[in-house]
Amino acid sequence: MGGRQERPDGDWARTANRLEELRGPAPARPHDARAIAALAANPGCARRALLDAAGVDKDTAARHVGFPAPFGQSQFAITRGNAFETLVKENGCAELLRLLRGLLGLPIEQVGYQDVENVGAHLRASHTRALIDRAARETETAVFYDHPLLSLRIAGHTSYLEPDVVAFQLGGRFHVVEIKSFAVIDGQAEPDKVAAAARQAAVYVLALRTLMEELGHDPERVSHDVVLVCPENFANRPVATLVDVRRQLAVLRRQLARMTRVDRLLEGLPPGLTFSLDPDPDGVPTRSAEEVAQALRQVPARYAPDCLSTCDLCMFCRDEARACGSTDLLGRQVRDQLGGVSGMEEALGLAEGVREPGEGQEEIAHLLRQAERLRRECVA
Ligand code: SF4
């Protein structure tokens, strides 16, 4: 991961002020683990990195400019998810303990239970720190921590994360527990949903390991095996599975390390640029949609089809990529294979031989012509 980047206070203050200007008067929208997992999925996108660092509400921005994202949970799904989480955690996580006894072979009858959510919002991060520190020292006691508040440095900016569940500690090991409401049917869950849950859980593991390191404990005591709890066969009966997130952790670390530092992104912005969604008394942004859209276009994006399932601005960026005929629309793999050819028109011109390849484009032009010849043969 990026790790803590020490800089003089003056620099931090300047960066924080500029990010506040970008966001406008609305409160910063905190990152959750899903947002970080998605951010790491597209580390080359300056637009997203900047909006997230400034805490801009991307969902409101996308709606305001007329491009709402096609995803989001229905109220029914949210209610169902909350009911399932309550069931797993009621009576001090009694059901969770039953599941973990089987899954981890725990030889224990009872565990402690700490509801970190009941502590005032401003104290939760420090309270979580103190609890984890104590747990790491008193390795004989098993404890569930409900809604701890962890933090992670993202592109030079601190993001606070709230595992919707718990870190469980026994014999010196911590396990992150993720409760999800998608069903496991006959031992199988939808691979996309499991993968998204694993990416999200990896963010919590990384944040907890970072905290352990800061507290002077061995970060490896946070297990890479996360416990995924889901309802089984459409009933509400929970079932737990261990998911190894080592691969997701490695990807996350690598991609966070590669992320452009936010102060460098700020340097290249036009003076006075803001994404402010300053609302009127009815909560409607006071700036015109076109003004906000223009501001968004000032920051380069790196659209890829994956954005459609991970970023609130996906429809806006897709429309922009379409309008300029960008090869980004074809996905990262094709875009990377096309090397320096960034436009569809350019790629088609090279493929059909009606356009002379520029310097360094000879090889890709040759490949495109070959592909076009094969396509014609197949069609014929
Ligand atoms: S949708 Fe747009 S802003 Fe979001 S990650 Fe994709 S390109 Fe970046």
Side-chain angles (χ1 to χ4, degrees), residues 42 45 47-48 301-303 307 311 313-314 317:
N42 194 355
C45 179
R47 183 176 294 166
R48 175 161 189 154
R302 201 151 187 233
Y303 178 78
C307 295
C311 182
L313 280 171
C314 55
C317 298

Side-chain angles (χ1 to χ4, degrees), residues 173-220:
R173 297 283 281 172
F174 290 83
H175 288 271
V176 166
V177 182
E178 257 307 85
I179 300 176
K180 293 289 179 196
S181 59
F182 58 81
V184 173
I185 300 164
D186 294 334
Q188 299 285 325
E190 278 184 49
D192 286 1
K193 291 186 173 164
V194 176
R199 276 199 302 272
Q200 197 174 329
V203 176
Y204 298 138
V205 171
L206 188 58
L208 196 48
R209 285 188 173 178
T210 306
L211 175 58
M212 287 285 280
E213 207 167 358
E214 285 171 6
L215 292 168
H217 304 296
D218 179 4
E220 295 301 314

Side-chain angles (χ1 to χ4, degrees), residues 184-312:
V184 173
I185 300 164
D186 294 334
Q188 299 285 325
E190 278 184 49
D192 286 1
K193 291 186 173 164
V194 176
R199 276 199 302 272
Q200 197 174 329
V203 176
Y204 298 138
V205 171
L206 188 58
L208 196 48
R209 285 188 173 178
T210 306
L211 175 58
M212 287 285 280
E213 207 167 358
E214 285 171 6
L215 292 168
H217 304 296
D218 179 4
E220 295 301 314
R221 285 171 58 186
V222 179
S223 175
H224 54 251
D225 285 328
V226 303
V227 179
L228 183 61
V229 181
C230 298
E232 192 175 25
N233 296 339
F234 297 115
N236 246 6
R237 186 178 161 76
V239 61
T241 324
L242 277 185
V243 180
D244 182 341
V245 298
R246 263 177 293 186
R247 192 177 57 78
Q248 289 81 356
L249 269 172
V251 172
L252 189 63
R253 275 204 200 92
R254 209 169 46 239
Q255 294 186 326
L256 288 179
R258 255 198 249 142
M259 276 177 61
T260 318
R261 277 176 50 184
V262 75
D263 47 357
R264 290 214 193 112
L265 294 175
L266 290 172
E267 276 166 21
L269 296 183
L273 178 73
T274 175
F275 308 115
S276 174
L277 296 164
D278 192 11
D280 65 15
D282 296 326
V284 180
T286 47
R287 292 172 79 207
S288 74
E290 186 46 35
E291 236 180 295
V292 176
Q294 279 295 352
L296 291 171
R297 289 190 200 107
Q298 303 275 330
V299 186
R302 201 151 187 233
Y303 178 78
D306 303 6
C307 295
L308 289 172
S309 60
T310 56
C311 182
D312 292 306

